[in-house]
Amino acid sequence: MPYGENDHITFHDGRPDPQKGRIEEVRDEGPHAVYRVRNEETNEIQVITQGQID
């Protein structure tokens, strides 16, 4: 499923628990998309791949 800017998502970033965030930017749309996400809990900007999204 394609995600767009401002979509709220749950993702894995290596921490034990899933993280929640909001997509700020989508790069390379398609099956190998890369997303810039603002983590809701830590307020960090993280870059994740399509495969990390639940």
Side-chain angles (χ1 to χ4, degrees):
M1 171 182 169
Y3 296 94
E5 291 182 11
N6 295 315
D7 284 353
H8 289 272
I9 59 169
T10 302
F11 62 96
H12 295 277
D13 66 353
R15 298 176 211 196
D17 297 322
Q19 304 295 306
K20 294 183 180 180
R22 181 179 55 82
I23 296 174
E24 293 195 346
E25 182 182 0
V26 180
R27 299 182 195 156
D28 303 325
E29 292 183 21
H32 302 288
V34 176
Y35 302 93
R36 195 175 116 204
V37 177
R38 170 107 25 209
N39 187 311
E40 290 178 0
E41 185 177 322
T42 64
N43 208 34
E44 298 172 305
I45 294 287
Q46 297 177 262
V47 176
I48 64 169
T49 63
Q50 179 77 36
Q52 291 175 271
I53 298 175
D54 286 341

